[in-house]
Amino acid sequence: MSHFSFKNSMKIGNIEYGERPVFLAPMEDVTDIGFRMLCKRFGAAMVYTEFVSAEALVRDVKSTVQKLTIADEERPVGIQIYGRDVDAMVEAARIVEQARPDVIDLNFGCPVKKVAGKGAGAGMLQNIPKMLEITRKVVDAVSLPVTVKTRLGWNAEQLIITDLAEQLQDCGIQALTIHGRTRAQMYTGNADWTLIGEVKRNPRIHIPVIGNGDIKSLEDADRAFEEYGVDAVMIGRATFGCPWIFSRRELTLDEKIDVLEEQLRINVERIDEYRGILHTRRHLAASPVFKGIPNFRQTRIAMLRAETVEELTRILEEMRNYLNEK
């Protein structure tokens, strides 16, 4: 066993997260309100909205403003913003504060080209002075706890996270999430947790360190707590179509399909039929429930094409019957 002791409950600001909390990562087109509520029910200690463009928020773009809708049942909840302009990020943080999340998270980690290529998200790893200026100014502008999510560095030659963590802490952030990859790696290769552990062991770091990358189960999370001593673990892609990943109890097949149908209902009620289905379809197509079904490809295509709740529910029920007969 490792020497890390966990007597203390983790805190961000005034919020207690308990021991060894597991968080749902913010993910575009994934962490909508229906999915967040289910992850919370199954034990996620903290959930985050999809990331929100600061520029779009400042311009009052309706689809972006809608992402700020949060429900009390999902608390504690963080709203994550991204952008490359200092003033827009400050203004966006002030707008977000009005939505009353528990935390405002700054995204300096998104690797996708349309974000990082324009200097936002992980693109900020190429302009550390600006990253620090944004962080400082946002911390000064709002009274909510501000946290940051970033990566190890831009590429393998620039693994700057150990120093960067101290610099961000000096800006006044109250927690730091580190994804154990560089921007160049995108989502390929393996996440390197050794550097996350190094940040955590740095005696000058006194804010919580949240580790992220390649966590596919609660067993993986337990191992990360043991080996690297992080304060919390964040799960991303392994949650797709699998909100029960946060549960210590193994669900039956029927229960899992019930949950997926409920997710569809929540999304349709919260948004509208067309977009609610859009939001849910990718979860269904990616859900581990259907892994290993022969010729599932046709069914997946049908799921991704379904346009009514009735149609999608019928496909799910057919799958349920098929799996139960096996």
Side-chain angles (χ1 to χ4, degrees):
M1 290 296 277
S2 111
H3 58 279
F4 293 113
S5 66
F6 290 92
K7 294 193 179 61
N8 299 337
S9 158
M10 177 196 168
K11 279 182 85 164
I12 301 176
N14 300 322
I15 296 178
E16 296 262 358
Y17 294 88
E19 289 181 32
R20 298 194 174 198
V22 182
F23 292 2
L24 170 68
M27 289 172 288
E28 183 62 6
D29 291 333
V30 175
T31 56
D32 53 59
I33 195 161
F35 187 61
R36 299 195 307 262
M37 306 250 270
L38 289 170
C39 289
K40 168 61 48 128
R41 184 197 307 166
F42 285 112
M46 169 95 152
V47 297
Y48 292 81
T49 61
E50 300 169 79
F51 71 172
V52 174
S53 157
E55 304 280 347
L57 204 51
V58 170
R59 292 204 315 272
D60 206 26
V61 174
K62 187 169 171 240
S63 59
T64 302
V65 174
Q66 282 171 336
K67 288 182 180 175
L68 302 185
T69 306
I70 53 181
D72 280 337
E73 307 93 285
E74 56 175 317
R75 291 186 185 281
V77 57
I79 294 180
Q80 189 188 61
I81 57 174
Y82 74 96
R84 58 175 181 185
D85 179 74
V86 180
D87 295 339
M89 285 289 276
V90 168
E91 180 60 23
R94 289 195 174 116
I95 296 168
V96 165
E97 190 165 34
Q98 304 302 306
R100 294 185 35 256
D102 298 287
V103 163
I104 298 176
D105 193 61
L106 308 182
N107 178 313
F108 300 137
C110 177
V112 301
K113 199 167 176 196
K114 66 174 191 183
V115 175
K118 294 184 179 143
M124 278 286 164
L125 288 161
Q126 291 188 298
N127 190 345
I128 300 304
K130 195 175 189 185
M131 181 197 284
L132 299 175
E133 185 190 359
I134 286 174
T135 306
R136 242 190 330 270
K137 290 199 165 157
V138 168
V139 168
D140 289 345
V142 296
S143 56
L144 285 171
V146 175
T147 59
V148 161
K149 184 171 189 210
T150 189
R151 290 183 168 232
L152 304 177
W154 180 255
N155 57 29
E157 287 69 56
Q158 296 172 299
L159 298 171
I160 57 172
I161 190 64
T162 322
D163 290 334
L164 180 59
E166 287 191 40
Q167 293 171 293
L168 287 164
Q169 177 176 268
D170 290 344
C171 294
I173 64 169
Q174 297 197 29
L176 175 64
T177 302
I178 304 168
H179 181 106
R181 286 184 172 84
T182 61
R183 189 277 162 165
Q185 276 182 283
M186 302 290 287
Y187 294 103
T188 62
N190 292 327
D192 175 7
W193 278 71
T194 52
L195 282 168
I196 302 177
E198 208 172 288
V199 171
K200 180 60 205 167
R201 282 193 304 275
N202 178 349
R204 290 189 292 278
I205 293 287
H206 52 80
I207 57 174
V209 174
I210 302 155
N212 174 226
D214 293 348
I215 301 292
K216 299 186 175 75
S217 64
L218 287 185
E219 289 70 41
D220 288 350
D222 290 341
R223 209 163 29 249
F225 282 118
E226 287 295 336
E227 290 178 22
Y228 304 103
V230 288
D231 299 283
V233 167
M234 188 178 273
I235 310 188
R237 288 169 296 161
T239 64
F240 290 12
C242 189
W244 51 82
I245 196 168
F246 296 97
S247 171
R248 294 269 169 199
R249 179 178 79 80
E250 183 55 42
L251 273 71
T252 65
L253 177 75
D254 278 322
E255 286 174 319
K256 288 175 181 176
I257 293 176
D258 287 345
V259 169
L260 295 174
E261 290 182 352
E262 184 181 354
Q263 188 179 345
L264 175 62
R265 279 198 306 276
I266 296 174
N267 278 341
V268 168
E269 280 164 20
R270 287 260 173 191
I271 321 173
D272 55 48
E273 183 165 53
Y274 174 73
R275 283 180 315 143
I277 287 171
L278 224 54
H279 269 272
T280 316
R281 285 190 315 201
R282 62 176 298 165
H283 280 286
L284 300 179
S287 182
V289 172
F290 307 117
K291 276 205 172 61
I293 294 183
N295 310 321
F296 182 62
R297 193 164 163 267
Q298 290 313 111
T299 309
R300 175 180 275 130
I301 291 167
M303 274 181 181
L304 290 170
R305 286 190 180 149
E307 286 183 356
T308 65
V309 170
E310 210 179 345
E311 203 180 338
L312 206 43
T313 308
R314 193 188 69 243
I315 297 170
L316 281 168
E317 286 306 314
E318 282 168 8
M319 289 288 96
R320 185 199 297 269
N321 294 336
Y322 172 82
L323 288 164
N324 278 328
E325 279 162 16
K326 270 171 72 177

